[in-house]
Amino acid sequence: MTVAVRAADEILRVGVVQQLRPCPEVELLDGADAERAQATLVVVDSVDDDVAALLHRLRRNTATRTGLVVGSLGSGSLQRVLECGVAAVLRRGEADQDRLLHLVLAMANGEGVLPGDLLGKLLTHVGSLQRSTPDTRGLSLSTLTTREAEMLRLVSEGLDTAEIARKTSYSERTVKNVLHEIITRLNLRNRAHAVGYALRNDLI
């Protein structure tokens, strides 16, 4: 897995690079080569407009999937980064070698990673938005089939491909195909983006 690490603060960048460098599963890229990395980790204290702009730029690079290693992240910022196409989020205080490697490998497998408490905050935040803002686009559960909605709900609960397959009695290949179809049809970036979109539009 080729990985690029980006950070405005060089100390933050070097810290993550040093954690990943000994891992044989990871090849670190920098400079001009960073554009062709399969995964890009963005390391920040918090999400501001500059970080959001960087995430938007990375989203346009179809060669890479983006992960965020962040000091602090509120529920509103979480929804913002998911809409920017971020596939995985890890708190900087928890970013040891094992968790960083798990994050990168999950991204390589097309899976999203989100701490459970942040997912809870996202659900609460989206729920309050839905109660306070009328849905003017008329989106409904009919946008997803029953099977698609079920699988997205399981993704939102933090299950990976194998766990969803066991829970639904489908093959892992079928699970991947169904989720890929949702992402493609709705013009989304990844599973995390699909969950954020579905929650925001009351699809699951």
Side-chain angles (χ1 to χ4, degrees):
M1 181 72 171
T2 53
V3 178
V5 180
R6 292 175 178 256
D9 185 328
E10 182 64 11
I11 294 174
L12 295 181
R13 192 190 75 81
V14 169
V16 171
V17 166
Q18 286 179 340
Q19 294 277 21
L20 289 174
R21 196 178 300 283
C23 302
E25 303 92 338
V26 172
E27 177 189 353
L28 291 163
L29 303 179
D30 56 20
D33 290 338
E35 293 298 320
R36 61 178 180 83
Q38 294 167 279
T40 298
L41 296 182
V42 177
V43 190
V44 295
D45 285 319
S46 59
V47 177
D48 57 18
D49 290 341
D50 289 340
V51 173
L54 170 60
L55 296 174
H56 274 295
R57 286 198 302 275
L58 290 171
R59 183 180 178 183
R60 291 195 292 269
N61 179 1
T62 57
T64 192
R65 305 186 78 233
T66 305
L68 184 68
V69 182
V70 62
S72 61
L73 190 67
S75 54
S77 296
L78 176 59
Q79 182 178 347
R80 186 180 189 186
V81 301
L82 293 179
E83 289 173 353
C84 289
V86 168
V89 176
L90 181 64
R91 282 195 181 86
R92 219 176 60 227
E94 300 171 351
D96 60 17
Q97 187 179 77
D98 288 343
R99 288 190 178 94
L100 283 167
L101 183 59
H102 174 263
L103 190 82
V104 168
L105 296 180
M107 291 166 65
N109 290 328
E111 297 172 356
V113 177
L114 194 63
D117 66 305
L118 287 183
L119 179 58
K121 287 181 182 178
L122 177 64
L123 292 170
T124 301
H125 176 70
V126 171
S128 66
L129 286 179
Q130 290 169 347
R131 287 189 296 274
S132 63
T133 308
D135 185 358
T136 57
R137 283 178 286 182
L139 292 169
S140 69
L141 189 62
S142 62
T143 308
L144 300 175
T145 67
T146 302
R147 181 170 72 169
E148 289 171 341
E150 179 187 13
M151 289 189 184
L152 263 190
R153 282 190 195 99
L154 294 173
V155 172
S156 77
E157 292 169 11
L159 276 65
D160 63 21
T161 300
E163 290 168 330
I164 294 171
R166 286 195 296 273
K167 192 100 170 174
T168 59
S169 300
Y170 290 113
S171 69
E172 290 187 34
R173 182 174 181 178
T174 297
V175 171
K176 287 181 179 179
N177 287 343
V178 169
L179 293 172
H180 178 74
E181 164 62 23
I182 297 169
I183 291 164
T184 302
R185 190 174 74 243
L186 298 179
N187 196 29
L188 302 172
R189 178 77 166 124
N190 50 49
R191 294 184 186 189
H193 191 197
V195 168
Y197 177 93
L199 289 169
R200 184 160 44 88
N201 292 294
D202 202 20
L203 300 178
I204 60 174

